C-alpha cells in the first residue's frame, strides 16, 4: 500500500485539495495501484445521498483474503502475520506466519463449505481473542459468507437478538474464554441464546479452556477434528465489489441494535489505506491494537487493515490489569511493538495506577501511539504522551465510527502537529462539514456544529441489515444530501476538529452550545476527581442546565462536599467560562457503561430529569447495578 508523499502541513493541504477536487481520480489510483483484482471496476463511485445508495468500484471482482494473505506469500511467506499473546503471561506466545495463516484459513474455509455454508450465508462468530477468531472470520470472507462477529462479552439475549436479526445459519464459539483471572463460559451462553434461534443449524466449537460443556447432537461439533480432515487447498470465492463482507452490530446504546453492513471492495481499499497512513506503518513494524475483534476497531485495525498491508499484528487475549497494571507495557516490550493503538478508557484506568507500572519499561520500540472510541480528555492525552510516548511518538487521536469503516479524522504522524483532545484534520478523501441548527453549512472556523460528511468515501457502511429505511433515516435525513455522524464537533481557528461528543450530548444552556466533553475535561482535572459525566436537564430560565455525575478518587480521606462543588465549578469557570457551571452535582461510585466503555448518557439524563419510569434497554450495560445506586442517590 502506498503512503502519502507528504512531508509537512502545507503539502498535506495541497494533497487534500486534490482529493476533494477530483475524488474519483484520487480513489481510482489508490485502488488500482495497491490490490490484486480479478477484474477492475467500470465506475469508481456511484451515489445518491438522498436515497442512501452508495456504490464503489462497481463491477470489480475481488476476494479480500487473496489481498490479505495469498499475495504476500511469495515474498513474505515466512513473515509473522499474527502474534498471539495469551491472557496468561506464562503461556507461550504464538507466531503465525503468512504461510501458516494461509493454510489455516484455507482449511477453515473448506470446513465451512463442507458444513453447507455458501456465499451470502450469515455466520455468527462468538469467540474470545484467540487466533481462531481471526482465522474463522477470514475463512468466511474467503468463501463469501457474511461474518457477524459478536463481542464475546455480550449476554445470551444480546447474542440471540443479533443471530435472529441477520438469520445466521451457523455459530462458531469456544468451550470458554480467559479474561484476567476469570474463565467465561461462552458455550453455555451460546446454548442459552440458541433456545430461541430457529435459523441456526450448526455450531462449531473451538477448544480453549477445556471446560466441560454440553454438545447437542446433530447441532454441535468440535472444530479441531473437522480441521484435521480438511484439505488446505481452497479456491477463494470471486466476490463482487458490492457483495456484503460482514455485518457488525453497533453497541445499541439507543433502541434495537443496528446491523451495519460493510461491502467488499470499498472496505478493503479504505482500511488498507488508512492503516498505512495513520500509523505510518513500515515493512518490519509490529502493530498492536488492543481493541477486541468484536468491535469495528478490531475488524479494521487488528485484522483487515494490517493484513492487507502484509503487516505483523498482535492479538491479545487478556486485559490491561492482569496479572497487574503493567501488562500492556510488558507486552509492548516483549514483542517490540512499534505502533500501539488503544482507547481513552484504558488510558484513564492505567493512569490512575502507580507510574511505576509504565516506567519499569523503556518502550523504546514505540513510534506512533493512537487513541480511538471516545473523546480523549486533556489529562489522559498528556499522560499517554508523556509516559507512554515519551513525548517522542505522535499521538494519533483517530475519530471514526462503526459506520465509517475506517479512520476519518486524525493527525498524520510526523506531518500534522498534534493538539491535545483534537482529532485534528480530515484524511485526504474525507470531506467533513459542520452544520448549524437551521441545517446550513457553517463556513467559519471557531464554531461548534453537527458533524456531517458531504461526499462518500469507500469505507462507508452501505445499509442496515434488513432495514434500509432505518439507515436512510438515521444517517441521511437530518441533513439532506449529507451523511450525519451523530457527533458534534468544534472547529478551531486553523480548521482542526475536536469531537465534542454525540450531538445528543451537546447541551444548549442559555442559547450557548456546550459540548459535554470539554466540561468533563475541566472537572476531571480537579485533583480529587477520577471521572465525570455531564448531562442537561430542563431549566426554567436557561432552557437547559447542567447536571454532573462525579466519581471521586479513593484517597481514604473525607472531603467537604460543599467545598468540592465550589472548587469544581470554579475549575469549569476558569477553563470554559461561568456559562458551563453545573447547577447540580451528584457524587457517585460509578457510571453506567456499555461493554465498549461508553457512558450510557440516556440513563443519566433521565435520572437528572427525575424521570425514573423507563430506562429502556439496559441489557448491554457492563454494570447495571449502578443505575439503582445513582437513582437512589438522586431521590
Ligand atoms: C466516538 C469506534 C472522540 C464518537 C471506532 C463516534 C470518538 C463513536 C473518537 C463511534 C475520537 C470515536 N474522539 N470521539 N477519537 N473515536 N469516537 O461505532 O462519538 O464504536 O461517533 O466506533 O465513538 O463509536 P464506534
Amino acid at each position: 500500500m502506498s503512503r502519502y508523499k507528504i512531508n509537512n502541513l502545507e503539502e498535506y493541504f495541497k494533497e487534500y485539495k486534490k482529493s476533494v477536487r477530483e475524488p474519483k481520480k484520487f480513489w481510482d489510483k489508490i485502488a488500482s495501484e495497491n490490490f490484486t483484482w480479478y477484474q477492475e471496476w467500470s465506475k469508481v463511485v456511484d451515489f445518491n445521498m438522498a436515497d442512501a445508495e452508495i456504490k464503489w468500484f462497481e463491477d470489480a471482482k475481488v476476494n479480500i483474503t487473496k489481498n490479505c494473505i495469498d499475495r504476500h506469500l511469495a515474498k513474505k511467506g515466512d513473515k509473522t502475520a499474527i502474534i498471539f499473546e495469551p491472557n496468561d503471561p506464562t503461556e507461550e506466545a504464538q507466531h503465525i506466519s503468512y504461510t501458516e495463516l494461509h493454510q489455516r484459513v484455507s482449511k477453515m474455509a473448506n470446513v465451512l463449505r463442507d458444513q453447507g455454508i455458501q456465499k451470502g450465508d450469515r455466520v455468527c462468530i462468538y469467540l474470545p481473542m484467540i487466533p481462531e477468531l481471526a482465522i474463522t472470520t477470514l475463512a468466511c470472507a474467503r468463501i463469501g459468507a457474511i461474518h457477524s462477529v459478536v463481542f464475546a462479552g455480550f449476554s445470551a439475549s444480546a447474542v440471540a437478538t443479533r443471530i435472529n436479526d441477520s438469520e445466521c445459519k451457523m455459530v462458531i464459539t469456544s468451550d470458554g474464554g480467559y479474561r484476567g483471572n476469570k474463565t467465561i463460559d461462552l458455550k453455555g451462553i451460546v446454548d442459552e441464546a440458541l433456545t430461541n434461534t430457529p435459523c441456526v443449524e450448526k455450531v462449531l466449537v473451538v477448544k480453549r479452556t477445556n471446560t466441560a460443556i454440553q454438545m447437542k447432537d446433530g447441532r454441535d461439533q468440535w472444530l479441531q477434528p473437522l480441521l484435521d480432515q480438511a484439505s488446505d487447498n481452497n479456491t477463494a470465492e470471486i466476490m463482487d465489489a458490492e457483495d456484503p463482507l460482514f455485518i457488525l452490530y453497533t453497541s445499541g446504546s439507543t433502541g434495537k441494535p443496528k446491523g451495519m453492513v460493510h461491502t467488499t471492495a470499498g472496505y478493503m481499499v479504505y482500511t488498507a489505506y488508512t492503516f498505512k497512513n495513520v500509523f505510518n506503518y513500515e515493512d518490519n513494524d509490529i502493530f498492536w491494537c488492543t481493541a477486541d475483534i468484536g468491535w469495528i476497531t478490531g475488524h479494521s485495525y487488528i485484522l483487515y487493515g494490517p493484513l492487507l498491508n502484509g503487516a505483523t499484528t498482535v492479538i491479545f487475549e487478556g486485559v490491561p490489569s492482569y496479572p497487574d497494571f503493567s501488562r500492556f507495557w510488558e507486552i509492548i516490550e516483549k514483542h517490540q511493538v512499534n505502533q500501539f493503538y488503544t482507547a481513552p478508557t484504558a488510558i484513564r484506568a492505567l493512569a490512575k495506577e502507580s507510574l511505576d507500572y509504565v516506567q519499569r519499561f523503556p518502550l523504546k520500540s514505540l513510534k506512533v501511539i493512537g487513541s480511538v472510541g471516545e473523546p480523549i480528555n486533556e489529562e489522559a492525552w498528556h499522560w499517554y504522551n508523556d509516559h507512554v510516548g515519551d513525548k517522542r511518538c505522535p499521538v494519533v487521536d483517530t475519530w471514526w465510527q462503526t459506520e465509517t469503516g475506517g479512520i476519518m479524522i486524525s493527525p498524520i504522524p510526523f506531518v500534522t502537529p498534534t493538539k491535545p483532545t483534537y482529532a485534528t484534520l480530515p484524511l485526504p478523501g474525507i470531506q467533513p462539514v459542520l452544520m448549524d441548527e437551521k441545517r446550513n453549512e457553517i463556513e467559519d472556523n471557531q464554531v461548534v456544529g453537527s458533524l456531517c460528511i458531504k461526499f462518500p468515501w469507500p469505507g462507508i457502511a452501505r445499509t442496515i441489515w434488513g432495514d434500509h429505511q432505518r439507515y436512510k433515516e438515521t444517517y441521511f435525513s437530518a441533513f439532506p444530501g449529507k451523511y450525519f455522524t451523530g457527533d458534534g464537533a468544534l472547529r478551531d481557528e486553523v480548521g482542526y476538529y475536536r469531537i465534542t461528543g454525540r450531538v445528543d450530548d451537546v447541551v444548549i444552556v442559555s442559547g450557548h452550545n456546550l459540548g459535554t466533553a470539554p466540561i468533563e475535561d475541566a472537572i476531571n482535572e480537579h485533583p480529587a476527581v477520577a471521572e465525570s459525566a455531564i448531562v442537561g436537564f430542563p431549566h426554567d430560565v436557561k432552557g437547559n442546565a447542567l447536571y454532573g455525575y462525579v466519581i471521586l478518587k479513593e484517597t481514604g480521606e473525607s472531603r467537604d462536599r460543599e467545598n468540592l462543588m465550589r472548587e469544581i465549578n470554579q475549575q469549569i469557570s476558569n477553563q470554559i467560562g461561568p456559562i458551563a457551571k453545573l447547577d447540580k452535582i451528584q457524587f457517585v461510585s460509578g457510571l453506567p457503561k456499555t461493554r465498549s466503555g461508553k457512558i450510557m448518557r440516556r440513563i443519566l439524563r433521565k435520572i437528572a430529569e427525575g424521570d425514573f419510569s423507563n430506562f429502556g434497554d439496559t441489557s448491554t450495560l457492563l454494570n447495571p447495578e449502578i443505575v439503582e445506586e445513582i437513582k437512589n442517590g438522586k431521590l
Side-chain angles (χ1 to χ4, degrees), residues 105-150:
V105 170
S106 299
K107 276 181 179 249
M108 186 67 217
N110 286 331
V111 167
L112 290 174
R113 280 191 181 137
D114 289 349
Q115 295 295 316
I117 299 298
Q118 295 175 353
K119 178 178 171 181
D121 287 344
R122 275 80 60 206
V123 174
C124 171
I125 301 176
Y126 185 70
L127 282 172
M129 282 282 285
I130 54 178
E132 286 79 0
L133 173 50
I135 289 163
T136 52
T137 303
L138 292 165
C140 286
R142 191 157 184 97
I143 65 162
I146 302 170
H147 55 77
S148 168
V149 181
V150 175

Coordinates of all heavy atoms in Angstrom, one line a residue, residues 105-150:
V105 N -6.5 -20.7 7.2 CA -7.7 -20.1 6.7 C -8.3 -21.0 5.6 O -9.5 -21.2 5.5 CB -7.4 -18.7 6.2 CG1 -8.6 -18.1 5.4 CG2 -7.1 -17.7 7.4
S106 N -7.4 -21.6 4.8 CA -7.9 -22.4 3.7 C -8.6 -23.6 4.2 O -9.7 -24.0 3.8 CB -6.7 -22.9 2.8 OG -6.1 -21.8 2.2
K107 N -8.0 -24.2 5.3 CA -8.7 -25.4 5.9 C -10.0 -25.0 6.5 O -11.0 -25.7 6.3 CB -7.8 -26.0 7.0 CG -6.7 -26.9 6.5 CD -5.9 -27.4 7.8 CE -4.8 -28.4 7.3 NZ -5.1 -29.7 7.8
M108 N -10.0 -23.9 7.2 CA -11.3 -23.5 7.8 C -12.3 -23.2 6.7 O -13.5 -23.5 6.9 CB -11.0 -22.2 8.7 CG -12.2 -21.8 9.5 SD -12.6 -23.0 10.8 CE -14.4 -22.8 10.7
A109 N -11.9 -22.6 5.6 CA -12.8 -22.3 4.5 C -13.4 -23.5 4.0 O -14.6 -23.6 3.7 CB -12.1 -21.5 3.5
N110 N -12.6 -24.6 3.9 CA -13.1 -25.9 3.4 C -14.1 -26.5 4.4 O -15.1 -27.1 4.0 CB -11.9 -26.8 3.1 CG -11.2 -26.4 1.8 OD1 -11.8 -25.8 0.9 ND2 -9.9 -26.7 1.7
V111 N -13.8 -26.4 5.7 CA -14.7 -26.9 6.7 C -16.1 -26.2 6.6 O -17.1 -26.8 6.6 CB -14.1 -26.7 8.1 CG1 -15.2 -26.9 9.2 CG2 -12.9 -27.6 8.3
L112 N -16.0 -24.9 6.4 CA -17.3 -24.1 6.3 C -18.1 -24.6 5.1 O -19.3 -24.9 5.2 CB -17.0 -22.6 6.2 CG -16.5 -21.9 7.4 CD1 -16.2 -20.5 7.1 CD2 -17.5 -22.0 8.5
R113 N -17.4 -24.8 4.0 CA -18.1 -25.3 2.8 C -18.7 -26.7 3.0 O -19.8 -27.0 2.7 CB -17.2 -25.3 1.5 CG -17.1 -23.9 0.9 CD -16.4 -23.9 -0.4 NE -16.2 -22.6 -1.0 CZ -15.1 -22.2 -1.6 NH1 -14.1 -22.9 -1.7 NH2 -15.1 -20.9 -2.1
D114 N -17.8 -27.6 3.6 CA -18.3 -28.9 3.9 C -19.5 -28.9 4.8 O -20.3 -29.9 4.7 CB -17.2 -29.7 4.6 CG -16.0 -30.1 3.7 OD1 -16.2 -29.9 2.5 OD2 -15.0 -30.5 4.3
Q115 N -19.6 -27.9 5.7 CA -20.7 -27.9 6.6 C -21.9 -27.2 5.9 O -22.9 -26.8 6.6 CB -20.3 -27.2 7.9 CG -19.3 -27.9 8.7 CD -19.8 -29.2 9.2 OE1 -20.9 -29.3 9.7 NE2 -19.0 -30.3 9.0
G116 N -21.8 -26.9 4.7 CA -23.0 -26.4 4.0 C -23.1 -24.9 3.9 O -24.1 -24.3 3.5
I117 N -22.0 -24.2 4.3 CA -22.1 -22.7 4.3 C -21.7 -22.3 2.9 O -20.7 -22.7 2.3 CB -21.1 -22.1 5.3 CG1 -21.5 -22.5 6.7 CG2 -21.1 -20.6 5.2 CD1 -22.9 -22.1 7.2
Q118 N -22.6 -21.4 2.3 CA -22.4 -20.9 1.0 C -22.2 -19.4 1.0 O -22.6 -18.7 1.9 CB -23.6 -21.3 0.1 CG -23.7 -22.8 -0.1 CD -24.9 -23.2 -0.8 OE1 -25.8 -22.3 -1.1 NE2 -25.0 -24.4 -1.1
K119 N -21.8 -18.9 -0.2 CA -21.7 -17.5 -0.4 C -23.0 -16.8 0.0 O -24.1 -17.2 -0.4 CB -21.4 -17.2 -1.8 CG -21.3 -15.7 -2.2 CD -21.0 -15.5 -3.6 CE -21.1 -14.0 -3.9 NZ -20.9 -13.6 -5.3
G120 N -22.9 -15.7 0.8 CA -24.1 -15.0 1.2 C -24.8 -15.4 2.5 O -25.5 -14.7 3.1
D121 N -24.4 -16.7 2.9 CA -25.0 -17.1 4.2 C -24.3 -16.3 5.4 O -23.2 -15.9 5.3 CB -24.6 -18.6 4.5 CG -25.4 -19.5 3.6 OD1 -26.5 -19.1 3.1 OD2 -25.0 -20.7 3.5
R122 N -25.1 -16.2 6.5 CA -24.5 -15.4 7.6 C -24.0 -16.4 8.7 O -24.7 -17.4 9.0 CB -25.6 -14.5 8.2 CG -25.6 -13.2 7.6 CD -26.4 -13.2 6.3 NE -27.8 -13.6 6.5 CZ -28.6 -14.2 5.6 NH1 -28.1 -14.4 4.4 NH2 -29.8 -14.5 5.9
V123 N -22.8 -16.1 9.2 CA -22.2 -16.9 10.2 C -21.9 -16.0 11.4 O -21.3 -15.0 11.3 CB -20.9 -17.6 9.7 CG1 -20.2 -18.3 10.8 CG2 -21.2 -18.5 8.5
C124 N -22.4 -16.4 12.6 CA -22.2 -15.7 13.8 C -20.9 -16.2 14.5 O -20.8 -17.4 14.7 CB -23.4 -15.8 14.7 SG -23.0 -15.1 16.4
I125 N -20.0 -15.3 14.8 CA -18.7 -15.8 15.4 C -18.7 -15.2 16.8 O -18.8 -13.9 17.0 CB -17.5 -15.3 14.6 CG1 -17.6 -16.0 13.2 CG2 -16.2 -15.7 15.3 CD1 -16.5 -15.6 12.3
Y126 N -18.7 -16.0 17.8 CA -18.7 -15.6 19.2 C -17.5 -16.3 19.9 O -17.7 -17.3 20.5 CB -20.1 -16.0 19.8 CG -20.4 -15.6 21.2 CD1 -20.6 -14.2 21.5 CD2 -20.4 -16.5 22.3 CE1 -20.9 -13.8 22.8 CE2 -20.7 -16.1 23.6 CZ -21.0 -14.7 23.8 OH -21.3 -14.3 25.1
L127 N -16.4 -15.6 19.8 CA -15.1 -16.3 20.3 C -14.3 -15.3 21.1 O -14.4 -14.1 20.9 CB -14.3 -16.7 19.1 CG -14.6 -18.0 18.3 CD1 -13.8 -18.1 17.1 CD2 -14.4 -19.2 19.2
P128 N -13.5 -15.8 22.0 CA -12.6 -14.9 22.7 C -11.5 -14.5 21.7 O -11.4 -14.9 20.6 CB -12.0 -15.8 23.8 CG -12.2 -17.2 23.3 CD -13.3 -17.2 22.4
M129 N -10.6 -13.6 22.2 CA -9.5 -13.1 21.3 C -8.4 -14.1 21.2 O -7.3 -14.0 21.8 CB -9.0 -11.8 22.0 CG -9.9 -10.6 21.7 SD -9.7 -10.0 20.0 CE -8.1 -9.2 20.2
I130 N -8.6 -15.1 20.4 CA -7.7 -16.2 20.1 C -7.5 -16.3 18.6 O -8.3 -15.7 17.9 CB -8.1 -17.6 20.7 CG1 -9.5 -17.9 20.2 CG2 -8.1 -17.5 22.3 CD1 -10.0 -19.3 20.7
P131 N -6.4 -16.9 18.1 CA -6.2 -16.9 16.7 C -7.4 -17.4 15.9 O -7.6 -16.9 14.8 CB -5.0 -17.8 16.5 CG -4.2 -17.7 17.8 CD -5.3 -17.5 18.9
E132 N -8.1 -18.3 16.4 CA -9.3 -18.9 15.7 C -10.3 -17.8 15.4 O -11.1 -17.9 14.4 CB -9.9 -20.0 16.5 CG -9.2 -21.3 16.5 CD -8.0 -21.3 17.5 OE1 -7.8 -20.3 18.2 OE2 -7.3 -22.4 17.5
L133 N -10.4 -16.8 16.2 CA -11.3 -15.7 15.9 C -10.9 -15.0 14.5 O -11.7 -14.8 13.7 CB -11.3 -14.6 17.0 CG -12.1 -13.3 16.8 CD1 -13.5 -13.6 16.4 CD2 -12.1 -12.6 18.2
A134 N -9.6 -14.8 14.4 CA -9.1 -14.2 13.1 C -9.3 -15.2 12.0 O -9.8 -14.8 10.9 CB -7.7 -13.8 13.3
I135 N -9.0 -16.4 12.2 CA -9.0 -17.4 11.2 C -10.4 -17.7 10.7 O -10.7 -17.8 9.5 CB -8.3 -18.7 11.7 CG1 -6.7 -18.4 11.7 CG2 -8.5 -19.9 10.8 CD1 -5.9 -19.3 12.6
T136 N -11.4 -17.9 11.6 CA -12.7 -18.1 11.2 C -13.3 -16.9 10.4 O -14.1 -17.1 9.5 CB -13.6 -18.6 12.3 OG1 -13.5 -17.6 13.4 CG2 -13.2 -19.9 12.9
T137 N -13.0 -15.8 10.9 CA -13.5 -14.5 10.3 C -13.0 -14.5 8.8 O -13.8 -14.2 7.9 CB -13.1 -13.3 11.1 OG1 -13.5 -13.4 12.4 CG2 -13.7 -12.0 10.5
L138 N -11.7 -14.7 8.7 CA -11.1 -14.6 7.3 C -11.7 -15.8 6.5 O -11.9 -15.6 5.2 CB -9.6 -14.7 7.4 CG -8.9 -13.5 8.1 CD1 -7.5 -13.8 8.4 CD2 -9.0 -12.3 7.1
A139 N -11.9 -16.9 7.1 CA -12.4 -18.1 6.3 C -13.8 -17.7 5.7 O -14.1 -18.1 4.6 CB -12.4 -19.3 7.2
C140 N -14.6 -17.1 6.5 CA -15.9 -16.6 6.0 C -15.7 -15.7 4.8 O -16.3 -16.0 3.7 CB -16.7 -15.8 7.1 SG -17.4 -16.9 8.4
A141 N -14.8 -14.8 4.9 CA -14.6 -13.8 3.8 C -14.1 -14.6 2.6 O -14.4 -14.2 1.5 CB -13.6 -12.8 4.3
R142 N -13.3 -15.6 2.8 CA -12.8 -16.3 1.7 C -13.8 -17.0 0.9 O -13.7 -17.1 -0.4 CB -11.8 -17.4 2.2 CG -10.9 -18.0 1.1 CD -9.7 -18.6 1.6 NE -8.8 -19.1 0.5 CZ -7.8 -18.4 0.0 NH1 -7.5 -17.2 0.4 NH2 -7.1 -18.9 -1.0
I143 N -14.9 -17.5 1.5 CA -15.9 -18.2 0.8 C -17.1 -17.4 0.5 O -18.1 -17.8 0.0 CB -16.3 -19.6 1.4 CG1 -17.0 -19.3 2.8 CG2 -15.1 -20.5 1.6 CD1 -17.8 -20.5 3.3
G144 N -17.0 -16.1 0.9 CA -18.1 -15.2 0.6 C -19.3 -15.3 1.6 O -20.3 -14.7 1.4
A145 N -19.1 -16.0 2.7 CA -20.1 -16.0 3.8 C -20.0 -14.7 4.5 O -18.9 -14.1 4.7 CB -19.9 -17.2 4.7
I146 N -21.1 -14.1 5.0 CA -21.1 -12.8 5.7 C -20.8 -13.1 7.2 O -21.7 -13.7 7.8 CB -22.4 -12.1 5.4 CG1 -22.7 -12.0 3.9 CG2 -22.5 -10.8 6.1 CD1 -24.1 -11.5 3.6
H147 N -19.7 -12.6 7.7 CA -19.5 -12.8 9.1 C -20.2 -11.8 10.0 O -20.2 -10.6 9.6 CB -18.0 -13.0 9.5 CG -17.1 -11.9 9.0 ND1 -17.0 -10.7 9.7 CD2 -16.1 -11.8 8.0 CE1 -16.0 -9.9 9.2 NE2 -15.5 -10.6 8.1
S148 N -20.7 -12.2 11.1 CA -21.3 -11.3 12.1 C -20.6 -11.7 13.4 O -21.0 -12.6 14.1 CB -22.8 -11.6 12.1 OG -23.3 -10.9 13.3
V149 N -19.5 -10.9 13.7 CA -18.8 -11.2 14.9 C -19.5 -10.5 16.0 O -19.8 -9.3 15.9 CB -17.3 -10.7 14.8 CG1 -16.5 -11.1 16.1 CG2 -16.6 -11.4 13.6
V150 N -19.8 -11.3 17.1 CA -20.5 -10.7 18.2 C -19.5 -10.7 19.4 O -18.9 -11.8 19.7 CB -21.7 -11.4 18.6 CG1 -22.4 -10.9 19.8 CG2 -22.7 -11.3 17.4

